Amino acid sequence: MQDLKPQVANARAYHHGDLRHSLIEHGLEMLEQRNIDGLGLRELAREIGVSPPAIYRHFSDKNALLRALAAEGLHRLGGAQAAAFEKTGGGTAGFSASGRAYVHYALEHPALFKLIFSYAPKADVIDAPPDAAATAMLHLREHISEIAPAGTPPEQLRIYAIRAWSQVHGLAMLLLDGQMKAGDAMIEAVLKVEGLAGG
Amino acid sequence: MQDLKPQVANARAYHHGDLRHSLIEHGLEMLEQRNIDGLGLRELAREIGVSPPAIYRHFSDKNALLRALAAEGLHRLGGAQAAAFEKTGGGTAGFSASGRAYVHYALEHPALFKLIFSYAPKADVIDAPPDAAATAMLHLREHISEIAPAGTPPEQLRIYAIRAWSQVHGLAMLLLDGQMKAGDAMIEAVLKVEGLAGG
DNA sequence: TGTACATCAGTGAACGCGCGTTCACTGATGTAC
DNA sequence: TGTACATCAGTGAACGCGCGTTCACTGATGTAC
């Protein structure tokens, strides 16, 4: 009755890095249902079927794990944006689509989205060189100049980028916090211009 | 040596509602330095010089206290916006000024600002009647139609309001999370248009 | 004005909780001879 | 191929912690007679 499940005793139940992967995977899953403070190391370990101290073989402490989760979230957010951008064939339409993808990703993964901005290495898209890391926000910087009128000076491009990012980020946050009703049509309408023109 | 400080024993150290007021006041002060999870009932009580259970005479539980703090924060945010609006004489300039005030309030009170959107009664400025409560966001709804071109249909006004709110909110959040460098000139430039025009 | 009493905002002690983290350990794996 | 050994990813038990909340209580205040 006790041994129905193949007890692995201790030792190599996971080979080389599997537990790390499993921790991130299950951590992300837990974030789908709970919010950030609801994610505890002991509970996560329990979920995976491993003892809590095992985590410390892979992460120096809880913050390190959260940072890894945030980094993975950022990566996926970037992936979602890139996919949307490619799918629409790039250009202005692609830029808009990737903005919409940003908001939709936030709505689909509320806790993860918030975690990203609390724990991820700062994206630094605005002032850092674009080769820093492949992040969601790099799209902005890479594509903003294609959208702007030819000859727009770099300082103005920077303002456009911040404005566009603020626009999608603010909409995402307000929707996440329930300040207004969501709706694809509304999201599209709000993001239509993105304030790029005008000045 | 023990009695230097006028020991109040127990009983009416605070008359009628004073402790409630004190809890909110000191709670807000603590939020100036720590973030939200750093705010504990026991610590707050210690700070004020009262026993933890005393809090329960005024708030049913911790969430009730946090909600009160958020409500007060929302009130003050609204006050800051209103002051900025009046000071510039209203109109388009006032609208812009109140947007800047929103961002600046966020930067000056990061934890409180975030608390507002986690715990405050939903502002509902977008779809609720404006007589609901005097909140920061009511400004938006009250003033957005003055800014928009005459004859703008209400659905479009709604989009404009959401767009403007998203704009300031997103900028505030990104700055709070350290995603880019703050700076009055930059804030002003980003908020200059607010995406009202265009479509 | 003086006395008896109800009210109720405080008190100190205690509760159970789950947390993150540490410790000394164990035993399967991969490697060297 | 067989044996001895180092490695190191796991284990279970235990730690101290501060938390939110409950409990029975106390005693100053305000009120009624």
Side-chain angles (χ1 to χ4, degrees):
Chain A
M1 284 297 188
Q2 302 258 72
D3 298 343
L4 279 182
K5 176 202 296 195
Q7 284 284 44
V8 206
N10 51 8
R12 296 287 157 75
Y14 297 89
H15 25 336
H16 192 56
D18 269 15
L19 179 52
R20 180 177 220 281
H21 180 257
S22 204
L23 282 164
I24 291 178
E25 214 56 47
H26 281 84
L28 290 173
E29 260 172 45
M30 282 178 62
L31 282 178
E32 296 296 314
Q33 281 125 12
R34 353 167 84 65
N35 64 9
I36 302 163
D37 344 282
L39 198 162
L41 291 192
R42 306 183 79 113
E43 191 187 358
L44 177 55
R46 209 178 307 132
E47 185 92 0
I48 296 180
V50 104
S51 71
I55 295 176
Y56 289 82
R57 289 284 153 195
H58 302 272
F59 299 97
S60 62
D61 56 13
K62 190 185 182 181
N63 270 334
L65 172 60
L66 289 178
R67 265 182 270 121
L69 289 172
E72 177 60 22
L74 182 57
H75 179 73
R76 295 188 183 187
L77 170 57
Q81 289 193 270
F85 182 84
E86 306 300 344
K87 195 175 173 186
T88 50
T92 305
F95 189 74
S96 277
S98 103
R100 265 177 271 129
Y102 187 96
V103 175
H104 283 124
Y105 193 88
L107 292 177
E108 282 155 23
H109 312 279
L112 177 57
F113 183 81
K114 290 190 167 184
L115 179 69
I116 288 172
F117 291 94
S118 314
Y119 282 87
K122 299 315 174 198
D124 240 348
V125 60
I126 298 303
D127 296 306
D131 57 273
T135 73
M137 297 75 189
L138 277 177
H139 277 279
L140 256 179
R141 200 156 193 255
E142 281 173 19
H143 301 307
I144 197 86
S145 58
E146 306 174 14
I147 309 302
T152 306
E155 320 88 69
Q156 192 59 37
L157 282 180
R158 180 172 185 270
I159 296 298
Y160 287 163
I162 295 176
R163 194 179 286 164
W165 191 5
S166 296
Q167 188 74 83
V168 291
H169 194 73
L171 180 59
M173 280 297 192
L174 290 173
L175 289 174
L176 285 191
D177 284 335
Q179 295 291 346
M180 56 188 81
K181 301 281 175 2
D184 282 7
M186 182 271 253
I187 292 173
E188 188 160 358
V190 171
L191 299 187
K192 189 151 264 167
V193 182
E194 295 202 341
L196 234 195
Chain B
M1 283 297 187
Q2 300 259 72
D3 298 341
L4 279 183
K5 177 201 291 192
Q7 284 283 44
V8 207
N10 51 10
R12 296 287 158 75
Y14 298 88
H15 25 335
H16 193 54
D18 269 13
L19 179 52
R20 180 177 220 279
H21 180 256
S22 205
L23 282 165
I24 291 179
E25 213 58 46
H26 280 84
L28 291 173
E29 261 171 46
M30 283 179 61
L31 282 177
E32 295 297 313
Q33 280 125 12
R34 349 168 86 67
N35 64 9
I36 301 163
D37 343 283
L39 199 161
L41 290 193
R42 304 182 80 111
E43 191 187 358
L44 177 55
R46 210 177 307 131
E47 184 93 1
I48 297 181
V50 104
S51 71
I55 296 175
Y56 290 82
R57 289 284 154 194
H58 301 272
F59 298 98
S60 63
D61 57 14
K62 190 184 183 183
N63 270 335
L65 172 60
L66 289 177
R67 265 182 270 121
L69 288 172
E72 177 60 22
L74 183 56
H75 180 73
R76 294 186 184 188
L77 170 57
Q81 290 193 270
F85 182 83
E86 305 301 344
K87 196 175 173 184
T88 51
T92 305
F95 190 75
S96 278
S98 104
R100 267 178 270 129
Y102 186 96
V103 175
H104 283 124
Y105 192 89
L107 291 177
E108 284 155 22
H109 311 280
L112 177 57
F113 184 81
K114 289 190 166 183
L115 178 69
I116 288 172
F117 292 95
S118 315
Y119 281 88
K122 298 317 174 201
D124 240 349
V125 59
I126 299 302
D127 296 306
D131 57 272
T135 74
M137 296 75 190
L138 278 176
H139 277 279
L140 257 179
R141 201 155 193 256
E142 280 172 19
H143 300 306
I144 197 83
S145 59
E146 307 174 13
I147 309 303
T152 306
E155 320 88 69
Q156 192 58 36
L157 282 181
R158 180 172 184 271
I159 295 299
Y160 286 162
I162 295 176
R163 194 179 287 164
W165 190 8
S166 297
Q167 188 73 85
V168 292
H169 194 73
L171 180 58
M173 281 297 193
L174 289 173
L175 289 174
L176 284 190
D177 284 335
Q179 295 291 348
M180 55 188 81
K181 302 280 175 359
D184 283 8
M186 182 270 251
I187 292 172
E188 190 161 355
V190 172
L191 300 187
K192 191 152 260 165
V193 182
E194 297 203 338
L196 235 194

